[in-house]
Amino acid sequence: MDLKDISTSVPRKDHKGKVSGQLAYISDVKVENMVYGVLYRSPIAYGKIISIQLPNLPEGYEAVGAEDIPGPNYVKIIKEDQPIFANDWVNYIGEPILMLVGGDLNILYSLLDEVKIELEEHQAIYTLDKAIKQKSVPGVNMASYEFGESLEIISAIELKAHQIIEEEYDTGYQEHVYLEPQGMLAIYKEDEIVVQGSMQCLYYIKNALLSALACGDDDVRVVQSPTGGGFGGKEDYPSMMACHVAVAAKAVKKSVMLVFDRSEDMVVTTKRHPAKLKYRTAIDKDGNILSMCVEIFLDGGANVGLSSVVLQRALINSAGVYKIPHFHSKGYVLKTNTVPNGAFRGFGAPQSFAGIESHIGHLSKLANIDPIEYKRKYLVKQGDPTITKGNFRDPILMEEMIEDLLNASDYKKKKVEFQTFNQQNQRYKKGIGTSLFLHGCGFTGSGERDHIKATVKLVKSKDGKVILKISNSDMGQGIYTTLSKIVAKELDILYEKVLYPDPDTKEVPDSGPTVASRTTMIVGKLLQRAAKKLKDQWQSGVEQEVVEHYVHREMIPWDEKTFTGDAYPAYSWGVNIVEVEVDTLTGNLKLEKVYANYEVGKVIDDRVMKGQIDGGLAQGLAYGYLEKMTSREGKIQQKSISDYGPPTSLDVVTIQSKVFDNPYADGPYGAKGAGELTLIGGAPAVQAAIEDALQTSFQQIPITPEVIIESLWMREGEEG
Amino acid sequence: MIKFTLNGRKVETDAPATARLLDLIREEHLLIGTKEGCGEGECGACSVFVNNLLQNSCLIPIGSIEGADIVTIEGIMETEQFKILDESYSIAGGVQCGYCIPGMVMASAALLTKNPNPSEAEIREGISGNLCRCTGYNMIVDAISKAAKKGDGLWQRK
Ligand code: FES
Ligand code: FES
């Protein structure tokens, strides 16, 4: 492929089928002898199942439950704490208890209404605050880590400090709202079960199935269907659905389809963890930071799932992009009897960055310094240690990126203009805010080397086509395009000659899950190496195959126990500036301008990158002021899209963005991760802009109109 | 028995009057381009034309479409207008996961037919009933404005 610069955009591989709607997502698939499944779910948050009474099932309708599971009754993720079908205790409203299968969905739904269950209800924990109070009760603390400067040293510093600033900050749920609801199909065959559906991680599912079905490697096969958005929501959750349909298919000897409707999807699938973050910072008389202690509490929901890993990322990011003297951090995943929380684009980092950016912003006010200048004083530089005693060993372009964005947005001038505007206007107030952030690319620590051990394969056909054999999903982020392009360029063959079919575990080795901003950087690099090898051996007219395995970058070894070492091989960086106008009468917020600079090593495709910027930032901004999900007595309150409120085309504005080149030696053509980074800066920048407009401080996101009005009332009350 | 026109063909069905048009399109006629994202009229993934008006087919009971002219994405796929939208979406990068896209394309076509030269604000308004979770909309807005320019004159004819 003759591209001078790899970043030059090429047509999307999957464009045709998508624009015409003719690409079949899982709910578009029909197979012979297919029945539907519906789940009977726990009506209570915590209790013991005493008995279940099924209605008379008509011919062709069957019930499937825990007794039908050939292997152990849990979904294999990290810990063995999530039953496939709860048959003893239930831990949250909506927990699956059994499945009814049959040919007609309407009949299945009416049968569900007739299932009778007797339960012994126990006292549940509904809120994170309650869980924090009960954290020493056995079972509540599901994971915790602590690291950093010794607390004795910090106490000594605090004793001499001018002031100790303490803040508590809360972040809410975030729901993925991938436009395609979750769906999974198990195709029943005599000698194999093929599980097909909307997913990010084929081998997570395959491993969960091997355990649940207690079967051999050749007895199950996982195939990805075109996936209508994931954002992390199809990382862990599909494993459970896959177990449901596969167990059912085995039991009834038919193919079983399970597709959620929107309200079921919103109520029972994983979400971004609500969090409480506590900051305790010692400052001197000029407002300089002397020490900082951070405590993070994540609401894990009813089981731990991936939450311990989410907590790790939250903690590793707890100091933001700053070099804070004498920093100490500690965090917990706590159990509540609510829907389990899981992966969501950013994976713990969005909570941490919202919190630290907010706190640092508030400290800058005390120091009477413009937030961006205050932040710049503490910005990490190349060669600085990380808070886990790792090292920022690659060049960091943040200073340049900040300067550029300040100019692009005319930040200083706007500050002054908005002040004048706000003095002259009673009702509408304008503000401008910034956020600085990074994202560690790839798995935390030595996860790639010790757990994932990715392998990729390239197959060349006789007629010179090259096929990517990897287990990574295109869920819209564009890897069919970007990874194909890397291979085409390296081999110097036409982009059209590189094929990337929907992955199927029978065909592809385990190149790892499609998560953690690892696909381009890690899998892309392996593919580039494989392509190079293939090029060296290239023989026309014969079929050829090359395989490559992961090689670990030399780093300071990660030790999960002491929480020290290099947490990530590389980091991507970002700066956002947001302008808002707040209507003080209604509390409504209008985004006026959004500016964004990023550094992701090297962009593999400009157009795909822009899509990641616009889409990620839209989600990140909305996390800060628009999207609100709550749970009451264990029940999710927002059951429809409009109850929840993700952005529409009217909520977003043009985003003025730029990406800086800073090639990374261990990434393909210098690329690092990009998909999660773009979400992270949105919420903190929006908060800072609202605070600037209203000259007040907030200790939570989302900052909805209600929150704004309440804060204005409180201020009025205080003022007289 | 309910009779109507689907993509230019006369069709009839025995399905109950309360059945959703969306299911009829997908299950009886196996046209998969009309997607279900919410089933409650909130996402626009199921957008079709009913007598030339953009409608959410998940909200339409088939009892109400006797004699109506229904057009799905499959029904416009061969038109010049679709080709222009297809190209513009590709160049602008408006497609990511694709699940919202057939509905978006229908909304785009409806908008441009009504207003061949929409402003950015009018485009945003025109697709405000169609949810997209991947793109943040801007590249879709751009696609539509590109299609308006490229389609010069073509959109008025209908
Ligand atoms: S499925 Fe009809 S509007 Fe969402
Ligand atoms: S492209 Fe995924 S929802 Fe629009």
Side-chain angles (χ1 to χ4, degrees):
Chain A
M1 195 176 55
D2 187 22
L3 279 183
K4 257 207 224 89
D5 185 354
I6 183 95
S7 310
T8 307
S9 301
V10 296
R12 242 191 118 90
K13 282 266 179 208
D14 48 5
H15 174 81
K16 275 271 174 273
K18 286 182 171 176
V19 80
S20 63
Q22 300 312 295
L23 189 71
Y25 297 80
I26 193 62
S27 57
D28 300 325
V29 173
K30 294 213 165 36
V31 295
E32 232 179 288
N33 212 0
M34 181 177 102
V35 292
Y36 293 95
V38 293
L39 289 159
Y40 180 75
R41 300 176 175 282
S42 171
I44 62 163
Y46 185 38
K48 208 167 156 46
I49 301 173
I50 306 295
S51 69
I52 298 172
Q53 213 188 324
L54 292 173
N56 282 332
L57 297 174
E59 167 96 30
Y61 288 76
E62 289 177 69
V64 179
E67 61 287 358
D68 297 299
I69 303 168
N73 183 10
Y74 62 82
V75 183
K76 193 166 185 264
I77 294 183
I78 293 176
K79 283 195 180 147
E80 302 167 5
D81 68 343
Q82 179 173 312
I84 297 169
F85 292 114
N87 59 343
D88 188 11
W89 286 85
V90 286
N91 281 286
Y92 65 98
I93 292 174
E95 182 162 11
I97 293 173
L98 56 88
M99 187 186 233
L100 297 180
V101 295
D104 186 304
L105 271 174
N106 290 323
I107 296 178
L108 286 167
Y109 285 125
S110 56
L111 288 171
L112 265 193
D113 287 341
E114 293 171 40
V115 176
K116 292 211 169 53
I117 188 163
E118 200 189 325
L119 296 144
E120 178 187 292
E121 203 164 349
H122 287 246
Q123 184 57 50
I125 300 177
Y126 292 125
T127 63
L128 182 57
D129 281 331
K130 185 81 177 281
I132 293 173
K133 285 200 194 95
Q134 301 195 1
K135 107 176 169 299
S136 49
V137 174
V140 176
N141 180 358
M142 298 198 287
S144 62
Y145 307 97
E146 181 168 8
F147 64 100
E149 182 65 279
S150 91
L151 290 173
E152 288 86 70
I153 293 181
I154 289 184
S155 298
I157 292 169
E158 287 182 350
L159 269 178
K160 291 197 201 124
H162 171 69
Q163 211 182 342
I164 311 285
I165 308 297
E166 286 190 273
E167 282 199 289
E168 246 184 67
Y169 186 82
D170 294 299
T171 68
Y173 278 117
Q174 190 175 23
E175 160 62 31
H176 308 86
V177 208
Y178 28 69
L179 205 62
E180 178 211 24
Q182 305 256 7
M184 202 64 72
L185 165 69
I187 301 172
Y188 179 78
K189 296 183 184 167
E190 288 266 289
D191 55 345
E192 117 184 301
I193 300 277
V194 183
V195 170
Q196 187 181 337
S198 195
M199 62 181 72
Q200 296 177 223
C201 310
L202 281 82
Y203 276 91
Y204 282 4
I205 294 180
K206 175 143 186 204
N207 291 334
L209 291 172
L210 288 174
S211 157
L213 300 180
C215 64
D217 203 59
D218 290 334
D219 303 333
V220 284
R221 180 171 147 201
V222 180
V223 185
Q224 189 220 343
S225 288
T227 296
F231 318 115
K234 293 170 182 170
E235 172 172 347
D236 38 344
Y237 198 82
S239 295
M240 168 137 87
M241 294 179 76
C243 290
H244 288 152
V245 289
V247 166
K250 264 232 151 3
V252 305
K253 298 195 169 28
K254 285 178 195 151
S255 298
V256 179
M257 173 80 94
L258 174 63
V259 176
F260 289 168
D261 67 16
R262 179 60 59 185
S263 58
E264 184 170 19
D265 197 303
M266 289 190 69
V267 172
V268 305
T269 64
T270 53
K271 322 200 172 303
R272 189 184 303 289
H273 297 73
K276 181 179 284 295
L277 302 100
K278 295 187 182 178
Y279 299 88
R280 183 182 159 92
T281 302
I283 55 173
D284 69 14
K285 63 178 189 336
D286 299 318
N288 296 308
I289 301 171
L290 302 174
S291 69
M292 187 185 288
C293 292
V294 181
E295 244 184 322
I296 299 178
F297 303 89
L298 295 185
D299 181 345
N303 51 52
V304 71
L306 290 171
S307 298
S308 55
V309 197
V310 174
L311 176 63
Q312 289 175 15
R313 202 178 266 273
L315 285 171
I316 291 163
N317 287 303
S318 54
V321 293
Y322 308 113
K323 188 178 169 188
I324 307 274
H326 306 290
F327 184 82
H328 182 95
S329 194
K330 185 174 176 180
Y332 308 84
V333 176
L334 301 180
K335 173 170 172 156
T336 59
N337 295 103
T338 58
V339 58
N341 296 308
F344 194 144
R345 198 177 200 172
F347 209 73
Q351 292 94 322
S352 264
F353 276 97
I356 190 71
E357 285 296 281
S358 166
H359 184 58
I360 298 273
H362 298 163
L363 293 176
S364 78
K365 288 178 201 172
L366 288 173
N368 224 346
I369 300 177
D370 185 90
I372 190 75
E373 295 314 323
Y374 190 79
K375 288 174 182 179
R376 281 168 105 166
K377 291 205 309 182
Y378 293 98
L379 202 57
V380 291
K381 298 194 179 49
Q382 181 177 18
D384 277 345
T386 69
I387 55 173
T388 60
K389 303 199 174 101
N391 193 280
F392 287 107
R393 52 174 61 74
D394 297 318
I396 297 173
L397 308 187
M398 283 295 269
E399 271 301 337
E400 218 181 306
M401 291 157 63
I402 294 169
E403 202 50 48
D404 180 84
L405 209 61
L406 290 176
N407 289 332
S409 63
D410 231 341
Y411 179 84
K412 293 216 170 88
K413 203 167 127 223
K414 295 267 175 60
K415 271 262 175 191
V416 180
E417 270 175 29
F418 289 177
Q419 257 179 24
T420 321
F421 177 93
N422 293 346
Q423 275 158 12
Q424 290 163 355
N425 279 274
Q426 266 309 85
R427 179 164 172 185
Y428 295 98
K429 304 284 179 190
K430 285 181 190 288
I432 185 164
T434 65
S435 64
L436 308 183
F437 50 98
L438 57 73
H439 195 69
C441 309
F443 267 86
T444 303
S446 43
E448 290 288 347
R449 183 189 58 201
D450 301 340
H451 303 298
I452 305 296
K453 304 178 185 133
T455 299
V456 306
K457 189 158 71 170
L458 288 177
V459 173
K460 176 173 91 53
S461 65
K462 280 191 188 132
D463 60 353
K465 295 211 175 74
V466 175
I467 304 150
L468 271 63
K469 302 273 185 181
I470 53 174
S471 63
N472 296 95
S473 308
D474 197 320
M475 52 188 133
Q477 86 282 39
I479 60 167
Y480 281 3
T481 307
T482 50
L483 296 184
S484 300
K485 190 178 178 184
I486 289 169
V487 170
K489 180 152 167 81
E490 195 62 34
L491 282 168
D492 200 12
I493 60 173
L494 286 176
Y495 168 68
E496 293 71 26
K497 295 234 166 192
V498 179
L499 309 179
Y500 186 165
D502 290 337
D504 171 345
T505 55
K506 201 160 197 171
E507 298 285 326
V508 304
D510 187 356
S511 58
T514 316
V515 303
S517 298
R518 66 180 289 279
T519 308
T520 307
M521 185 176 90
I522 307 270
V523 184
K525 184 70 182 182
L526 284 174
L527 285 168
Q528 188 188 21
R529 280 180 20 216
K532 203 173 165 86
K533 200 151 122 190
L534 179 60
K535 194 176 181 188
D536 291 343
Q537 315 170 351
W538 190 280
Q539 279 177 290
S540 299
V542 293
E543 200 175 295
Q544 285 176 282
E545 196 178 290
V546 292
V547 171
E548 276 293 316
H549 301 285
Y550 177 71
V551 184
H552 205 61
R553 184 186 193 190
E554 271 316 307
M555 309 195 294
I556 302 166
W558 175 253
D559 181 347
E560 195 182 302
K561 290 223 168 55
T562 56
F563 228 74
T564 55
D566 273 317
Y568 302 102
Y571 302 85
S572 290
W573 304 82
V575 185
N576 289 167
I577 295 183
V578 169
E579 295 173 34
V580 300
E581 185 183 89
V582 184
D583 180 345
T584 58
L585 200 64
T586 60
N588 283 335
L589 181 97
K590 202 165 106 214
L591 282 183
E592 302 244 279
K593 293 250 164 60
V594 178
Y595 307 89
N597 279 350
Y598 298 100
E599 188 266 282
V600 297
K602 175 77 186 163
V603 170
I604 297 296
D605 189 281
D606 288 330
R607 198 159 46 202
V608 169
M609 181 65 204
K610 178 144 173 50
Q612 289 301 300
I613 293 173
D614 282 20
L617 200 37
Q619 282 178 357
L621 293 164
Y623 178 48
Y625 78 101
L626 204 58
E627 296 180 17
K628 186 175 170 76
M629 181 166 264
T630 50
S631 153
R632 242 182 73 194
E633 300 196 331
K635 265 201 184 110
I636 293 290
Q637 298 295 296
Q638 292 74 14
K639 296 192 168 76
S640 71
I641 290 176
S642 61
D643 283 351
Y644 175 58
T648 71
S649 52
L650 298 172
D651 295 310
V652 208
V653 292
T654 302
I655 294 166
Q656 209 172 304
S657 62
K658 198 191 249 178
V659 190
F660 286 62
D661 261 9
N662 185 20
Y664 164 60
D666 282 326
Y669 296 99
K672 298 185 283 194
E676 294 177 280
L677 174 77
T678 57
L679 182 144
I680 294 169
V686 133
Q687 175 180 341
I690 301 173
E691 292 189 350
D692 184 48
L694 301 177
Q695 291 298 306
T696 184
S697 298
F698 290 91
Q699 266 76 30
Q700 73 190 84
I701 50 166
I703 303 172
T704 57
E706 295 74 41
V707 175
I708 288 177
I709 293 295
E710 197 183 317
S711 112
L712 291 171
W713 279 354
M714 278 185 26
R715 192 161 66 183
E716 248 172 53
E718 277 164 24
E719 282 167 3
Chain B
M1 174 87 59
I2 294 156
K3 296 182 183 163
F4 59 99
T5 312
L6 179 60
N7 296 334
R9 278 188 316 121
K10 297 221 172 311
V11 295
E12 44 188 59
T13 178
D14 288 329
T18 52
R20 305 185 303 172
L21 176 58
L22 173 63
D23 296 327
L24 194 79
I25 291 168
R26 292 177 51 84
E27 306 297 323
E28 238 176 78
H29 294 278
L30 303 176
L31 297 172
I32 61 168
T34 310
K35 309 289 184 197
E36 174 163 358
C38 70
E40 298 187 352
E42 296 183 336
C43 77
C46 64
S47 298
V48 298
F49 299 148
V50 178
N51 297 330
N52 288 321
L53 283 180
L54 188 72
Q55 301 271 347
N56 290 324
S57 62
C58 69
L59 289 186
I60 300 181
I62 58 168
S64 71
I65 57 157
E66 174 70 43
D69 182 23
I70 310 290
V71 178
T72 69
I73 183 103
E74 288 84 358
I76 67 164
M77 245 157 61
E78 302 303 324
T79 63
E80 275 309 302
Q81 283 91 339
F82 177 81
K83 277 182 200 139
I84 287 171
L85 282 167
D86 175 356
E87 231 176 272
S88 308
Y89 268 77
S90 172
I91 291 168
V95 176
Q96 288 192 33
C97 84
Y99 203 75
C100 71
I101 293 299
M104 277 292 180
V105 168
M106 295 301 275
S108 311
L111 168 69
L112 291 175
T113 309
K114 248 198 317 201
N115 179 358
N117 288 304
S119 65
E120 185 191 324
E122 287 167 334
I123 296 177
R124 287 190 185 276
E125 182 66 44
I127 57 166
S128 62
N130 291 70
L131 198 79
C132 173
R133 190 54 159 166
C134 300
T135 64
Y137 304 100
N138 294 330
M139 293 165 94
I140 291 179
V141 171
D142 186 30
I144 297 173
S145 92
K146 283 197 162 65
K149 284 196 197 89
K150 221 183 289 167
D152 195 30
L154 192 61
W155 298 106
Q156 271 120 332
R157 247 187 281 145
K158 246 187 111 184

